[in-house]
Amino acid sequence: MKRAVFTSRLMGLLLLAGQPTAALAQDSLQPYQLVRSLQLIQDRIAVGDHAALPMQSKLLEMIDTRLREADKNDFRDPKNFRALLVYGMSGGNPVTVEAAVSRATADARDLALARGVIDYLNGRPGEAIEALKPVDPMAQPSDLGAFLALVKGSLLAGDQPAAALVLLDEAKLLGPGTLVEEAALRRSVGIAVAQRDAARFALASTQYVERYLYSPYASQFADSFISGVIELHMSISQDKLADITSMMDPEREKVIYLRIARRAAIDGLNELSAFASARAEQGRDGNTNQGDPRALLYSSLSTVTSGTIEDVRAKLGKIDRSRLSDGDRALLDAAEAIAGEVVAPPASLPTASPAPAEVMPSHEPEPAAAQTADAAGLPPVEGAVSERPAVAPSGDTVAVAPNPPAPGDAATVLPASAPAAAASTDTSDPTDAAMVKTRRQLDLIDQMLGAAPK
């Protein structure tokens, strides 16, 4: 109740901004009072009050003006000095912070802490880590400690992720229900993915969705969440995933599942893609999304190489291309091309080559011309090598055989999926020829999916 009354008065003050009375009110308030107002506004933003964003901008301007005019007597009050640092870590102007610190009268420990904050604000992470190393956020007043824990956790996320997670936990303890907690949870999700800590990832994601789903920064959480589901798909059960998304509203849940289905399909995680597509189509509360072309497309991708390829082709044919994004239209084109290749009849066998005895000894491989004709029936596959065995150039074969690849030539590197014996397969046999063609189709599928926009 007190918070609501205070916020209402603050809004009245901001409505008067630009008026002479606003300037008078601004001058009469201490920096710590203005910064506390900023924190209240930011806490409302964290829980989804987007209308508070303009108020945040206006308040930041007012605080900047007040701190530029503050003298050393203002900073004799420790609350104002802490407010100066909190203002900086809340999106304030680094130049204003640095100038105000230079005028402030504070003990050596506080000035060292301030230097660490200024290094952080000016993009000097190495210096900031060193300056803030002896600072224990839990030993600081909670208004400053929460921000220091968040900053230190963010600085250590890359090199010391375990220590960063501990600091982010401290930030949540010191600033529950605030923008600091929102940011700490959001960053914990990303670090847990990097650490491959599925339990931590699931816990942080659950807490974020429960409390901050409507934050203006929730899109960043969504990116980290989807990446985490893909990266940790072997450790996160589908039931757990469904528990987390069930806390979202139906529209957000559908979008999350569609994005997971798309990423999973492109990465070849067919089971996850099929699950996410089905959940996206299923909808909630009796409102299905079966007409959504994205759900149809992603569910088709997960089965494009299955035995039900004719069903998949029919499904792809029903998708309304005009309702897809450019990226999804390219994905649809790739899927249709792959499906067409899978069901395409085998290329005609090469015509009978001249009797080996008239061209080369009987122990030599089949003529290169036959191989060339077979390969011409398929699109070129980057990185694939000729399946023709090396032949000693002699007689007429010199005219049609390309030069053998030099040792170490990049073109001689087989794709990872290519079987080692492929190069020695005798394609004069119809069965072997079909096997070679199938292998090439699989390589083509891999490459087309890999080239599809993510």
PDB file of all heavy atoms in Angstrom, residues 360 364-366 368 388-394 397 401 404:
ATOM      1  N   MET A 360      41.260 -51.444 -71.909  1.00  0.00           N
ATOM      2  CA  MET A 360      42.215 -51.564 -70.816  1.00  0.00           C
ATOM      3  C   MET A 360      42.189 -53.000 -70.334  1.00  0.00           C
ATOM      4  O   MET A 360      41.264 -53.748 -70.645  1.00  0.00           O
ATOM      5  CB  MET A 360      41.863 -50.626 -69.673  1.00  0.00           C
ATOM      6  CG  MET A 360      40.479 -50.886 -69.096  1.00  0.00           C
ATOM      7  SD  MET A 360      40.077 -49.700 -67.802  1.00  0.00           S
ATOM      8  CE  MET A 360      39.977 -48.212 -68.794  1.00  0.00           C
ATOM      9  N   GLU A 364      41.331 -53.643 -64.580  1.00  0.00           N
ATOM     10  CA  GLU A 364      41.186 -52.219 -64.274  1.00  0.00           C
ATOM     11  C   GLU A 364      39.720 -51.877 -64.033  1.00  0.00           C
ATOM     12  O   GLU A 364      38.816 -52.575 -64.481  1.00  0.00           O
ATOM     13  CB  GLU A 364      41.738 -51.382 -65.425  1.00  0.00           C
ATOM     14  CG  GLU A 364      43.269 -51.544 -65.543  1.00  0.00           C
ATOM     15  CD  GLU A 364      43.830 -50.560 -66.519  1.00  0.00           C
ATOM     16  OE1 GLU A 364      43.042 -49.766 -67.089  1.00  0.00           O
ATOM     17  OE2 GLU A 364      45.053 -50.561 -66.714  1.00  0.00           O
ATOM     18  N   PRO A 365      39.437 -50.772 -63.348  1.00  0.00           N
ATOM     19  CA  PRO A 365      38.045 -50.393 -63.028  1.00  0.00           C
ATOM     20  C   PRO A 365      37.247 -50.057 -64.256  1.00  0.00           C
ATOM     21  O   PRO A 365      37.769 -49.904 -65.349  1.00  0.00           O
ATOM     22  CB  PRO A 365      38.208 -49.167 -62.127  1.00  0.00           C
ATOM     23  CG  PRO A 365      39.643 -49.198 -61.675  1.00  0.00           C
ATOM     24  CD  PRO A 365      40.398 -49.882 -62.765  1.00  0.00           C
ATOM     25  N   GLU A 366      35.932 -49.866 -64.052  1.00  0.00           N
ATOM     26  CA  GLU A 366      35.032 -49.543 -65.142  1.00  0.00           C
ATOM     27  C   GLU A 366      35.385 -48.191 -65.735  1.00  0.00           C
ATOM     28  O   GLU A 366      36.019 -47.361 -65.095  1.00  0.00           O
ATOM     29  CB  GLU A 366      33.592 -49.498 -64.645  1.00  0.00           C
ATOM     30  CG  GLU A 366      33.377 -48.411 -63.608  1.00  0.00           C
ATOM     31  CD  GLU A 366      31.983 -48.444 -63.061  1.00  0.00           C
ATOM     32  OE1 GLU A 366      31.076 -47.973 -63.756  1.00  0.00           O
ATOM     33  OE2 GLU A 366      31.811 -48.934 -61.948  1.00  0.00           O
ATOM     34  N   ALA A 368      35.598 -44.367 -66.799  1.00  0.00           N
ATOM     35  CA  ALA A 368      35.214 -43.162 -66.089  1.00  0.00           C
ATOM     36  C   ALA A 368      33.995 -42.516 -66.706  1.00  0.00           C
ATOM     37  O   ALA A 368      33.229 -41.839 -66.015  1.00  0.00           O
ATOM     38  CB  ALA A 368      36.389 -42.177 -66.091  1.00  0.00           C
ATOM     39  N   ARG A 388      35.132 -42.820 -58.303  1.00  0.00           N
ATOM     40  CA  ARG A 388      35.902 -43.623 -59.244  1.00  0.00           C
ATOM     41  C   ARG A 388      37.252 -43.931 -58.647  1.00  0.00           C
ATOM     42  O   ARG A 388      37.932 -43.043 -58.121  1.00  0.00           O
ATOM     43  CB  ARG A 388      36.106 -42.840 -60.528  1.00  0.00           C
ATOM     44  CG  ARG A 388      36.940 -43.575 -61.565  1.00  0.00           C
ATOM     45  CD  ARG A 388      37.170 -42.715 -62.773  1.00  0.00           C
ATOM     46  NE  ARG A 388      37.658 -41.418 -62.378  1.00  0.00           N
ATOM     47  CZ  ARG A 388      37.407 -40.315 -63.057  1.00  0.00           C
ATOM     48  NH1 ARG A 388      36.663 -40.344 -64.107  1.00  0.00           N
ATOM     49  NH2 ARG A 388      37.905 -39.161 -62.647  1.00  0.00           N
ATOM     50  N   PRO A 389      37.672 -45.157 -58.691  1.00  0.00           N
ATOM     51  CA  PRO A 389      38.999 -45.485 -58.183  1.00  0.00           C
ATOM     52  C   PRO A 389      40.057 -44.895 -59.084  1.00  0.00           C
ATOM     53  O   PRO A 389      39.830 -44.617 -60.264  1.00  0.00           O
ATOM     54  CB  PRO A 389      39.012 -47.022 -58.203  1.00  0.00           C
ATOM     55  CG  PRO A 389      38.015 -47.396 -59.241  1.00  0.00           C
ATOM     56  CD  PRO A 389      36.964 -46.338 -59.189  1.00  0.00           C
ATOM     57  N   ALA A 390      41.219 -44.693 -58.490  1.00  0.00           N
ATOM     58  CA  ALA A 390      42.313 -44.134 -59.273  1.00  0.00           C
ATOM     59  C   ALA A 390      42.697 -45.104 -60.377  1.00  0.00           C
ATOM     60  O   ALA A 390      42.738 -46.313 -60.190  1.00  0.00           O
ATOM     61  CB  ALA A 390      43.516 -43.895 -58.361  1.00  0.00           C
ATOM     62  N   VAL A 391      42.907 -44.576 -61.559  1.00  0.00           N
ATOM     63  CA  VAL A 391      43.294 -45.433 -62.685  1.00  0.00           C
ATOM     64  C   VAL A 391      44.559 -44.888 -63.306  1.00  0.00           C
ATOM     65  O   VAL A 391      44.798 -43.693 -63.343  1.00  0.00           O
ATOM     66  CB  VAL A 391      42.180 -45.491 -63.751  1.00  0.00           C
ATOM     67  CG1 VAL A 391      40.990 -46.251 -63.224  1.00  0.00           C
ATOM     68  CG2 VAL A 391      41.775 -44.093 -64.196  1.00  0.00           C
ATOM     69  N   ALA A 392      45.320 -45.781 -63.784  1.00  0.00           N
ATOM     70  CA  ALA A 392      46.538 -45.372 -64.476  1.00  0.00           C
ATOM     71  C   ALA A 392      46.158 -44.904 -65.857  1.00  0.00           C
ATOM     72  O   ALA A 392      45.558 -45.642 -66.633  1.00  0.00           O
ATOM     73  CB  ALA A 392      47.514 -46.549 -64.555  1.00  0.00           C
ATOM     74  N   PRO A 393      46.400 -43.635 -66.187  1.00  0.00           N
ATOM     75  CA  PRO A 393      46.000 -43.132 -67.500  1.00  0.00           C
ATOM     76  C   PRO A 393      46.700 -43.890 -68.605  1.00  0.00           C
ATOM     77  O   PRO A 393      47.906 -44.053 -68.617  1.00  0.00           O
ATOM     78  CB  PRO A 393      46.445 -41.663 -67.459  1.00  0.00           C
ATOM     79  CG  PRO A 393      47.505 -41.610 -66.411  1.00  0.00           C
ATOM     80  CD  PRO A 393      47.166 -42.666 -65.423  1.00  0.00           C
ATOM     81  N   SER A 394      45.876 -44.374 -69.479  1.00  0.00           N
ATOM     82  CA  SER A 394      46.441 -45.071 -70.623  1.00  0.00           C
ATOM     83  C   SER A 394      45.415 -45.101 -71.728  1.00  0.00           C
ATOM     84  O   SER A 394      44.226 -45.172 -71.488  1.00  0.00           O
ATOM     85  CB  SER A 394      46.843 -46.496 -70.238  1.00  0.00           C
ATOM     86  OG  SER A 394      45.726 -47.227 -69.833  1.00  0.00           O
ATOM     87  N   THR A 397      41.286 -43.767 -72.148  1.00  0.00           N
ATOM     88  CA  THR A 397      40.765 -43.314 -70.869  1.00  0.00           C
ATOM     89  C   THR A 397      41.354 -41.986 -70.437  1.00  0.00           C
ATOM     90  O   THR A 397      40.776 -41.282 -69.628  1.00  0.00           O
ATOM     91  CB  THR A 397      41.059 -44.347 -69.769  1.00  0.00           C
ATOM     92  OG1 THR A 397      42.463 -44.542 -69.726  1.00  0.00           O
ATOM     93  CG2 THR A 397      40.356 -45.660 -70.048  1.00  0.00           C
ATOM     94  N   ALA A 401      39.109 -39.109 -68.185  1.00  0.00           N
ATOM     95  CA  ALA A 401      39.355 -39.193 -66.749  1.00  0.00           C
ATOM     96  C   ALA A 401      39.958 -37.902 -66.245  1.00  0.00           C
ATOM     97  O   ALA A 401      40.951 -37.438 -66.771  1.00  0.00           O
ATOM     98  CB  ALA A 401      40.303 -40.349 -66.454  1.00  0.00           C
ATOM     99  N   PRO A 404      43.777 -37.164 -61.040  1.00  0.00           N
ATOM    100  CA  PRO A 404      43.570 -37.655 -59.678  1.00  0.00           C
ATOM    101  C   PRO A 404      43.872 -36.550 -58.679  1.00  0.00           C
ATOM    102  O   PRO A 404      44.756 -35.738 -58.900  1.00  0.00           O
ATOM    103  CB  PRO A 404      44.574 -38.814 -59.561  1.00  0.00           C
ATOM    104  CG  PRO A 404      45.612 -38.527 -60.583  1.00  0.00           C
ATOM    105  CD  PRO A 404      44.904 -37.834 -61.697  1.00  0.00           C
TER     106      PRO A 404
END
